[in-house]
Amino acid sequence: MEIIIRNFFRLLRAGIFGTQEQIEPMSAWKWNRIYQLAMLQHVAPQVREGIDRLSDQFFLQIPPQQMELWKKADGNMQIKISKPKLSNKLGEKRLSKIIDEEGGKSVTLTALYLIASTAHHLLNDGLFLHPLIALGCYIKQPEVYPIDNDKLCDWIHKLGLKSIAQLEATLLISYLGLTEEDIKFTTTGKRHDVSRITQELLQLQGTDKHEWQFSQGDDIFVHNNNTSAMFWQARRSAKYFRYSPIESISNFVSSFINSLTHVEE
């Protein structure tokens, strides 16, 4: 299964940064998994661009029927960037203050949005590549996107995102091919293990499978409609606790409270 991830990110890097890496031979089933992963992560146009750029490689043998699907994957490669959501009120308050002090818009503030958004997805649904890709593009083009890294480091510390920002740095290096020298918003001396995140990518699950609600049945008792999802959320919060303790707890509590809104009074 690792070959799927390796080829997926080779194609993604080729589509985003124009890299030329050798594709390993795969079966039709594995090529279909790459297509499913690209669609689920909303990066099909970027991967399709990578396929076009590496089309002369011998082992890039995509079955004709699947190639027809890829031809329909053309689309806007621009990534929408918006204010991230933080689960804890203190973090939201500090973020609002940072936005006000920065005047509402700057390259450095956008970089903070992308770091916080990636963190939010990791803690709630699993890795979502869009904000991570945008962050990588910003970092790789300092002449176009001049980030004030000292200011960004200070903001990351204020929002309690220092540890999870280091994890994101490892993802940028492992998945998008950035170097330690490229990343200046955090220290990269400690490389985190991203194998479990990689396994989650291969599960190809939508976020709806992790939603859970409490509701009142015909009897007087309250029932959980998706116990496995509740335990999934609890395990996720525990797994990322060391990276972002306050946000992990806040996310789980927020999910729990939201699930109670379906209980009739």
Side-chain angles (χ1 to χ4, degrees), residues 56-121:
D56 60 341
Q57 289 196 16
F58 179 77
F59 289 122
L60 205 155
Q61 301 287 342
I62 302 176
Q65 188 174 1
Q66 290 183 20
M67 198 61 216
E68 289 300 315
L69 295 175
W70 281 112
K71 289 178 180 178
K72 300 175 184 178
D74 286 332
N76 188 1
M77 291 177 59
Q78 187 174 0
I79 296 173
K80 184 179 179 181
I81 301 171
S82 58
K83 179 186 174 183
K85 178 182 178 182
L86 299 178
S87 296
N88 72 89
K89 293 185 181 297
L90 180 60
E92 278 285 347
K93 185 177 180 179
R94 288 177 175 173
L95 179 59
S96 296
K97 184 179 179 181
I98 289 170
I99 294 170
D100 291 340
E101 292 176 349
E102 194 67 9
K105 187 176 182 181
S106 72
V107 171
T108 306
L109 185 61
T110 300
L112 179 67
Y113 282 5
L114 296 170
I115 291 168
S117 181
T118 301
H120 178 77
H121 283 291

Side-chain angles (χ1 to χ4, degrees), residues 1 8 11 49 59 61 64 81 88 100 112 115 125 133 171-172 186 204 208 211 213 219 241-242 247 256-257:
M1 295 294 281
F8 172 76
L11 292 169
E49 181 69 19
F59 289 122
Q61 301 287 342
I81 301 171
N88 72 89
D100 291 340
L112 179 67
I115 291 168
D125 313 312
I133 289 171
L171 293 172
L172 287 167
T186 187
L204 299 178
D208 58 317
E211 293 178 356
Q213 300 168 358
D219 51 25
F241 180 82
R242 66 190 178 105
E247 196 69 11
F256 183 82
I257 293 173

Side-chain angles (χ1 to χ4, degrees), residues 104-174:
K105 187 176 182 181
S106 72
V107 171
T108 306
L109 185 61
T110 300
L112 179 67
Y113 282 5
L114 296 170
I115 291 168
S117 181
T118 301
H120 178 77
H121 283 291
L122 278 169
L123 294 169
N124 285 275
D125 313 312
L127 179 62
F128 185 54
L129 289 172
H130 259 212
L132 191 72
I133 289 171
L135 180 61
C137 290
Y138 268 55
I139 292 171
K140 291 290 283 184
Q141 302 177 79
E143 66 285 351
V144 179
Y145 305 108
I147 298 172
D148 185 334
N149 286 287
D150 291 335
K151 184 184 287 187
L152 183 56
C153 286
D154 182 55
W155 290 345
I156 289 170
H157 178 73
K158 286 180 178 178
L159 296 179
L161 298 175
K162 182 178 178 180
S163 294
I164 203 162
Q166 292 175 341
L167 174 61
E168 291 178 32
T170 301
L171 293 172
L172 287 167
I173 293 169
S174 301

Side-chain angles (χ1 to χ4, degrees), residues 26 34 197 206 208:
M26 293 196 306
I34 283 186
I197 297 176
D208 58 317

